[in-house]
Amino acid sequence: MRYVSIRLQLVLWNLACLVALLTVIPVAKRLPVNWGWENGPLENFQVALLVVGGCFAVLAALAHRADRALLAVWTLAALFWIVASLRELSWGAVFLEPMKMTETGPVFSSQLLWYKPLVVWVCAAALLCVVVQMTRARVWSRVVVRMFREHAWPWGPTLLFVLGCVVSACAEGHLYDLMPQYPHTTRQVAEEYAEVFAYLAIFIAQIQLARTTLSWQASERRALLSA
């Protein structure tokens, strides 16, 4: 009963994300323009969600530390959340005084940070370490292939994340101009609003992944006890 309840909740969250992304234009028109500002309510909510996602991934990594492949997967997930949250914070620039104020809100620049040139190298080094860890642990054959074989890949949230990225890019005027008749302030709100639900979709995918990997772990324990 509990399994059905959790699965139903995930389906409802997926539907909520889909509805939110399909109604981005009417919602953006009605939200205050300051919600789309840098360091505004929507971006702050994104950061909070990213931090929670990162904590979730770290806890999952600790729970799977006995399995090298699953540990590598959750290490990659934690790295994603950490880098994404730091990026939303402009690598720390938002904690400085804004360079100026415009109609689209305060302007922050990470170029003012003394360590900005090191950011790309640190991120690349961290990613390389995780990729090496995943390769040595044979993540593709032990985790990815198994998920496809068991039809456990979270396709719904994955597609919603892609949709969220596309809607956000279109609101900004990339790929396709989704809102040509609206001012830049409204487009900025739409962009940040879409990003919220793109990140939420990834968080839902992470929950589904955790349920799958924990079930694998439980099955292996039962097999050991019955042996």
Side-chain angles (χ1 to χ4, degrees), residues 62-122:
L62 292 174
H64 294 88
R65 60 186 178 275
D67 188 309
R68 290 177 59 201
L70 294 179
L71 174 61
V73 168
W74 285 109
T75 302
L76 177 63
L79 179 62
F80 165 80
W81 293 110
I82 292 169
V83 171
S85 61
L86 291 175
R87 178 183 169 276
E88 290 297 337
L89 292 170
S90 297
W91 311 106
V94 295
F95 299 113
L96 304 176
E97 288 295 320
M99 295 175 60
K100 59 181 178 180
M101 284 292 296
T102 67
E103 64 171 359
T104 57
V107 176
F108 301 93
S109 176
S110 60
Q111 299 303 322
L112 299 176
L113 303 171
W114 64 267
Y115 53 83
K116 179 59 169 62
L118 300 175
V119 168
V120 65
W121 296 105
V122 172

Side-chain angles (χ1 to χ4, degrees), residues 45-61 73-85 199-207 209-210:
F45 184 80
Q46 290 171 27
V47 173
L49 181 59
L50 291 166
V51 170
V52 172
C55 292
F56 186 107
V58 169
L59 291 174
V73 168
W74 285 109
T75 302
L76 177 63
L79 179 62
F80 165 80
W81 293 110
I82 292 169
V83 171
S85 61
Y199 288 138
L200 183 58
I202 287 295
F203 188 77
I204 295 169
Q206 182 169 255
I207 294 174
L209 175 62

Side-chain angles (χ1 to χ4, degrees), residues 171-188:
E172 203 174 7
H174 305 310
L175 300 179
Y176 174 78
D177 199 346
L178 188 65
M179 308 169 67
Q181 70 275 34
Y182 294 103
H184 188 66
T185 51
T186 303
R187 293 154 70 101
Q188 188 172 329

Side-chain angles (χ1 to χ4, degrees), residues 7 38 40 43 48 51 64 83-84 87 101 106 114 124 129-130 138 153 172 174 197 211-212 220:
R7 186 168 61 180
E38 191 89 3
E43 189 162 280
V51 170
H64 294 88
V83 171
R87 178 183 169 276
M101 284 292 296
W114 64 267
C129 290
V130 175
R138 294 181 290 118
W153 188 268
E172 203 174 7
H174 305 310
F197 290 96
R211 294 181 66 242
T212 299
E220 289 171 4

